[in-house]
Amino acid sequence: MFCLPTSALLPAFRRLTLAGLGLLPLAASAQTILAVSRTQAAAGATVTITGTDLNKLTSAMINGQPMNIAKSSYSSVDVIVPVAAATGRIRLTSATGTALTGTKLGITRQSSAVSYGQVSTSVTGMNAAGSYSTPAMGDIDGDGLVELIQGQGDGTILVFEQTAAKAETFGAGTLLKNADGTTLDVGSFAKPTLADLDGDGLLELLVGEDTGNILRYEQTAATGTGALAFTKTTLFTNPFGAATASVPNGGSYPRPTVADLDNNGLLDVLVGSNDGTLRRYEQTAANAATFTALGQMKLANGTVIDAGDVDKPLLTDYNGDGYLDMLLGNRAGSIVLYTQSAANSATFQLVGNLTTNGTTAMSLSGVGGYAAPAITDLDGDGLLDLFVGNGNGTIQRFEQAQSATTPTLLAGALTNPAPLPVVLTSFTGQSLATGNVLRWTTASEANSDYFEVERSFSGQAFVKIGQLAAAGTTSAAHSYQFADDATAAGTSYYRLRQVDLDGTSTYSPIVTLAASSAAVARPAKPVAYPTVFTSELNVALPGAEAQAATVALLTADGRPVYSRTVQLGTAPQALAELPTLAPGVYLLRIATAAGATTQRVVRN
């Protein structure tokens, strides 16, 4: 299996099953996902996704949170793990559709502590107009600085920007605006959260208000002044419905939070309310702004979750164990922690109250109660910062304590891979007049059996074109080289499949090579693959029009065992009626009007 050291240019490879690398089609999609470089990553880490048509993406998301795209090409994209990300699958969206990674990306944390010591009693130095502050955190304008969004009792929303990267201070607050320049105002008791529901690369503010509606505001631009100007639609109209009309104020003061609870690729919106219960709504389709009501949230034993009046939920993965966690602030000023009762479960189990010192429950009753949580890592120290709004309009900051040990993944949440046998430090290619040359280097290997080289002319369907023995077990660096002299005009895509002695395999990133001008000028050359075959042998003539060819298979001493005339073209075709052959080395001779070639192949 491949693994990269932290000092390498390539990201770390984790053990991935073939099923885990697959694409879940959510809509008609041009892009595909072939592999993901990690199964676990910390906030700020780079994750490389390889596939096809990845240079046209409008967004990358995890649980509705945008992931910054560091760089992209046709065959790969590098995305950055958001600070407040929760474990989940990555969704890539372009104008033509969406693609979803087959497995979750586990978000690792430096600490698993539920103790948060107080850092500040007033982060912004401003009280909300009309009190009742509700914060949300994110980099709204894409400049690398955290914005603190502060919903206010009078229905307006303030925004404060971090004064510098990793700074623990914010600049002066300004009011968010509508696209027409007027002040964004939901009426009263604005309770916002940030997400990108539709995958268009523009953030949305989902804002609950006094009467129970949840309004949706979307940025007019992803950067610049337009990032702080929003257009409005209604997401839910009093989502609590007639069935709860008899509950006093059951639908008032809703605060939404977003994640994919059941790992099905559709975002869930959980909505807190005045009566202390939670409702769940799930997207009707990927990137849809329409939702299906799925009822009240419950504990694993069927009891309706009620953490206290005016509950304000926040979904995250505070300890990096692979389970989604839910923080529920309430009217009394406490924050109650729940965690999923099982992997991908829509039910939760109670963990207990957050504390300030390991024993004393966190309480904002002295500042008016109505605790409203939001998280980020403001100072970049790897510990989560908890920002809590309250009844008097201030926002207090608490920072997660450093736990003595790193968290252990709970059973069923994620597969926690063992140390990986192969440390791949580079995989590169070069296009020459004589063909393409691939080179890769390993820093160490353990129980490594062999490397298979796979090629594709489309970037989607790969076939094996060669195999090299691995070093087995060694702590020394090893270099490998493979020459492909059957390149075609245009672009070729290559990847490695590294196979362990136990049969486990892992794929490398994809290397993309355009044929050199000298190579393109050469006459088209027939190719056959896989060069090591069992029952099926394919032939093709890359980069050329279909033409008649005679294909013959001979033993190593020149005795013919198979011959057939075929129409040979760019599309590979399996040789028909190939006889049962004894294992060994054979010579495959392909003759066209341009001449004949002979290639060595091996029957397993």
Side-chain angles (χ1 to χ4, degrees), residues 498-564:
Q498 184 269 317
V499 182
D500 295 343
L501 291 173
D502 63 2
T504 307
S505 63
T506 298
Y507 286 96
S508 75
I510 294 172
V511 167
T512 303
L513 295 176
S516 69
S517 57
V520 171
R522 295 197 317 263
K525 183 177 180 180
V527 296
Y529 47 83
T531 54
V532 180
F533 69 99
T534 300
S535 59
E536 185 174 287
L537 186 60
N538 297 277
V539 292
L541 188 62
E545 296 182 358
Q547 55 190 275
T550 300
V551 179
L553 198 61
L554 300 88
T555 62
D557 59 5
R559 179 173 55 87
V561 294
Y562 175 85
S563 180
R564 181 155 308 237

Side-chain angles (χ1 to χ4, degrees), residues 389-417:
N390 53 71
N392 76 1
T394 59
I395 294 177
Q396 301 193 359
R397 176 187 168 201
F398 302 79
E399 185 170 70
Q400 188 179 27
Q402 177 68 68
S403 56
T405 59
T406 54
T408 301
L409 297 179
L410 299 180
L414 285 171
T415 299
N416 194 13

Side-chain angles (χ1 to χ4, degrees), residues 308-517:
D309 293 349
V310 196
D311 57 342
K312 302 176 185 67
L314 173 70
L315 286 169
T316 184
D317 182 2
Y318 83 94
N319 58 358
D321 67 355
Y323 282 66
L324 287 174
D325 304 301
M326 181 166 59
L327 304 178
L328 277 176
N330 59 28
R331 179 178 181 175
S334 302
I335 298 179
V336 187
L337 174 64
Y338 296 79
T339 192
Q340 280 181 307
S341 55
N344 308 324
S345 174
T347 63
F348 284 77
Q349 59 186 2
L350 175 64
V351 177
N353 284 14
L354 294 188
T355 69
T356 55
N357 57 11
T359 57
T360 304
M362 184 181 297
S363 175
L364 280 78
S365 60
V367 287
Y370 294 95
I375 62 167
T376 190
D377 178 7
L378 191 67
D379 51 6
D381 63 356
L383 301 173
L384 288 176
D385 294 294
L386 175 68
F387 293 81
V388 187
N390 53 71
N392 76 1
T394 59
I395 294 177
Q396 301 193 359
R397 176 187 168 201
F398 302 79
E399 185 170 70
Q400 188 179 27
Q402 177 68 68
S403 56
T405 59
T406 54
T408 301
L409 297 179
L410 299 180
L414 285 171
T415 299
N416 194 13
L420 301 176
V422 172
V423 178
L424 182 74
T425 54
S426 68
F427 176 40
T428 61
Q430 183 179 11
S431 182
L432 304 173
T434 55
N436 291 335
V437 177
L438 303 168
R439 300 181 180 91
W440 63 98
T441 304
T442 62
S444 63
E445 299 181 34
N447 300 318
S448 182
D449 194 0
Y450 57 89
F451 296 93
E452 290 182 350
V453 181
E454 297 184 356
R455 179 186 58 206
S456 171
F457 296 124
S458 66
Q460 299 184 43
F462 283 79
V463 296
K464 177 182 173 182
I465 60 171
Q467 179 174 314
L468 276 72
T473 298
T474 177
S475 59
H478 274 70
S479 296
Y480 300 85
Q481 180 171 305
F482 178 85
D484 177 17
D485 61 0
T487 54
T491 302
S492 298
Y493 306 87
Y494 297 92
R495 68 184 184 188
L496 300 175
R497 178 173 176 257
Q498 184 269 317
V499 182
D500 295 343
L501 291 173
D502 63 2
T504 307
S505 63
T506 298
Y507 286 96
S508 75
I510 294 172
V511 167
T512 303
L513 295 176
S516 69
S517 57

Side-chain angles (χ1 to χ4, degrees), residues 5 122 130 150 206-207 238 254 258 284 289 303 318 372 376 433 473-474 530 544 603:
S122 182
Q150 181 172 336
L206 308 183
V207 189
N238 192 0
V258 179
T284 55
T303 303
Y318 83 94
T376 190
T473 298
T474 177
R603 163 70 163 86

